[in-house]
Coordinates of all heavy atoms in Angstrom, one line a residue:
G56 N -64.7 -46.2 40.0 CA -64.9 -45.8 41.4 C -65.7 -46.7 42.2 O -65.9 -46.5 43.4
F57 N -66.3 -47.8 41.6 CA -67.1 -48.7 42.3 C -66.3 -49.4 43.3 O -65.2 -49.9 43.1 CB -67.8 -49.7 41.4 CG -68.6 -50.7 42.0 CD1 -69.9 -50.4 42.4 CD2 -68.1 -52.0 42.2 CE1 -70.7 -51.4 43.0 CE2 -68.9 -53.0 42.8 CZ -70.2 -52.7 43.2
D58 N -66.8 -49.5 44.6 CA -66.1 -50.2 45.7 C -66.7 -51.6 45.8 O -67.9 -51.8 46.2 CB -66.3 -49.4 47.0 CG -65.4 -50.0 48.1 OD1 -64.9 -51.1 48.0 OD2 -65.4 -49.3 49.2
P59 N -65.9 -52.7 45.6 CA -66.4 -54.0 45.8 C -67.0 -54.3 47.1 O -67.9 -55.2 47.2 CB -65.1 -54.9 45.5 CG -64.2 -54.1 44.7 CD -64.4 -52.7 45.1
A60 N -66.5 -53.6 48.2 CA -67.1 -53.8 49.5 C -68.6 -53.4 49.6 O -69.3 -53.8 50.5 CB -66.3 -53.1 50.5
D61 N -69.0 -52.5 48.6 CA -70.4 -52.0 48.6 C -71.3 -52.9 47.7 O -72.4 -52.6 47.5 CB -70.4 -50.6 48.1 CG -69.7 -49.6 49.1 OD1 -69.7 -50.0 50.3 OD2 -69.2 -48.6 48.6
S62 N -70.7 -53.9 47.1 CA -71.5 -54.7 46.1 C -72.5 -55.6 46.8 O -72.3 -56.2 47.8 CB -70.6 -55.6 45.3 OG -71.3 -56.4 44.4
Y63 N -73.7 -55.6 46.2 CA -74.8 -56.6 46.5 C -75.0 -57.6 45.4 O -76.0 -58.3 45.4 CB -76.1 -55.8 46.9 CG -76.1 -55.1 48.2 CD1 -75.7 -53.7 48.2 CD2 -76.4 -55.7 49.4 CE1 -75.6 -53.0 49.4 CE2 -76.4 -55.0 50.6 CZ -76.0 -53.7 50.6 OH -76.0 -53.0 51.8
G64 N -74.1 -57.6 44.4 CA -74.2 -58.4 43.3 C -74.1 -59.9 43.7 O -73.1 -60.3 44.4
T65 N -75.0 -60.7 43.2 CA -74.9 -62.2 43.5 C -75.8 -62.9 42.5 O -76.7 -62.3 41.9 CB -75.4 -62.5 45.0 OG1 -75.2 -63.8 45.3 CG2 -76.9 -62.2 45.1
C66 N -75.5 -64.2 42.3 CA -76.3 -65.0 41.5 C -76.1 -66.5 41.9 O -75.0 -66.8 42.5 CB -76.1 -64.8 40.0 SG -74.5 -65.4 39.4
I67 N -77.0 -67.4 41.6 CA -76.9 -68.8 41.8 C -76.6 -69.5 40.5 O -77.3 -69.2 39.5 CB -78.1 -69.4 42.5 CG1 -78.3 -68.8 43.9 CG2 -78.1 -70.9 42.6 CD1 -79.6 -69.2 44.6
V68 N -75.6 -70.4 40.5 CA -75.3 -71.2 39.3 C -75.5 -72.7 39.7 O -74.8 -73.2 40.6 CB -73.9 -70.9 38.8 CG1 -73.7 -71.7 37.5 CG2 -73.7 -69.4 38.5
A69 N -76.4 -73.4 39.1 CA -76.7 -74.8 39.3 C -75.8 -75.6 38.3 O -75.9 -75.4 37.1 CB -78.1 -75.1 39.1
V70 N -75.0 -76.5 38.9 CA -74.0 -77.2 38.1 C -74.1 -78.7 38.4 O -74.6 -79.1 39.4 CB -72.6 -76.8 38.3 CG1 -72.4 -75.3 38.0 CG2 -72.2 -77.0 39.8
P71 N -73.7 -79.6 37.4 CA -73.8 -81.0 37.7 C -73.0 -81.5 38.8 O -73.4 -82.5 39.5 CB -73.4 -81.6 36.3 CG -73.5 -80.6 35.3 CD -73.3 -79.3 36.1
D72 N -71.8 -81.0 39.0 CA -70.9 -81.5 40.0 C -70.1 -80.4 40.7 O -69.1 -79.8 40.1 CB -69.9 -82.5 39.4 CG -69.1 -83.3 40.4 OD1 -68.8 -82.7 41.5 OD2 -68.6 -84.4 40.0
T73 N -70.5 -79.9 41.9 CA -69.8 -78.8 42.5 C -68.4 -79.2 42.9 O -67.5 -78.3 42.8 CB -70.6 -78.4 43.8 OG1 -70.8 -79.5 44.6 CG2 -71.9 -77.7 43.4
G74 N -68.1 -80.4 43.3 CA -66.8 -80.9 43.6 C -65.8 -80.8 42.5 O -64.7 -80.3 42.6
A75 N -66.2 -81.2 41.3 CA -65.3 -81.2 40.1 C -65.1 -79.8 39.7 O -63.9 -79.4 39.3 CB -66.0 -82.0 39.0
L76 N -66.1 -78.9 39.8 CA -65.9 -77.5 39.4 C -65.0 -76.8 40.3 O -64.1 -76.0 39.9 CB -67.3 -76.8 39.3 CG -67.2 -75.4 38.7 CD1 -66.7 -75.4 37.2 CD2 -68.6 -74.8 38.7
F77 N -65.2 -77.0 41.6 CA -64.4 -76.4 42.6 C -62.9 -76.8 42.4 O -62.0 -76.0 42.5 CB -64.8 -76.8 44.0 CG -63.8 -76.4 45.1 CD1 -63.8 -75.2 45.7 CD2 -62.8 -77.3 45.6 CE1 -62.9 -74.8 46.6 CE2 -61.9 -77.0 46.5 CZ -61.9 -75.7 47.1
A78 N -62.7 -78.1 42.1 CA -61.3 -78.6 41.9 C -60.7 -77.9 40.7 O -59.5 -77.6 40.8 CB -61.3 -80.1 41.7
S79 N -61.4 -77.7 39.7 CA -60.9 -77.0 38.5 C -60.6 -75.5 38.8 O -59.5 -75.0 38.4 CB -61.9 -77.1 37.4 OG -61.4 -76.4 36.2
F80 N -61.5 -74.9 39.5 CA -61.2 -73.5 39.9 C -60.0 -73.4 40.8 O -59.1 -72.5 40.7 CB -62.4 -72.9 40.7 CG -63.6 -72.6 39.8 CD1 -64.8 -72.1 40.4 CD2 -63.6 -72.7 38.4 CE1 -65.9 -71.8 39.6 CE2 -64.7 -72.4 37.7 CZ -65.9 -71.9 38.3
A81 N -59.9 -74.3 41.8 CA -58.8 -74.3 42.7 C -57.4 -74.5 41.9 O -56.4 -73.9 42.3 CB -59.0 -75.4 43.7
E82 N -57.5 -75.4 40.9 CA -56.2 -75.6 40.1 C -55.8 -74.4 39.5 O -54.6 -74.0 39.4 CB -56.5 -76.7 39.1 CG -55.3 -77.1 38.3 CD -55.6 -78.2 37.3 OE1 -56.8 -78.6 37.1 OE2 -54.6 -78.6 36.6
G83 N -56.8 -73.6 38.9 CA -56.4 -72.3 38.3 C -55.9 -71.3 39.3 O -54.9 -70.6 39.0
M84 N -56.4 -71.3 40.5 CA -55.9 -70.3 41.5 C -54.5 -70.7 41.9 O -53.7 -69.8 42.0 CB -56.9 -70.4 42.7 CG -58.1 -69.6 42.6 SD -59.0 -69.5 44.2 CE -60.4 -68.5 43.7
R85 N -54.3 -72.0 42.1 CA -52.9 -72.4 42.5 C -51.9 -72.1 41.4 O -50.8 -71.8 41.7 CB -53.0 -73.9 42.9 CG -53.8 -74.2 44.1 CD -53.6 -75.7 44.6 NE -54.5 -76.0 45.7 CZ -55.6 -76.8 45.5 NH1 -55.9 -77.2 44.3 NH2 -56.4 -77.0 46.5
A86 N -52.3 -72.3 40.2 CA -51.4 -72.1 39.1 C -50.9 -70.6 39.0 O -49.8 -70.3 38.7 CB -52.0 -72.5 37.8

Side-chain angles (χ1 to χ4, degrees):
F57 178 79
D58 186 351
D61 295 332
S62 179
Y63 288 92
T65 188
C66 70
I67 294 173
V68 183
V70 301
D72 188 336
T73 53
L76 188 62
F77 170 84
S79 179
F80 286 177
E82 182 180 6
M84 282 188 177
R85 294 187 187 105

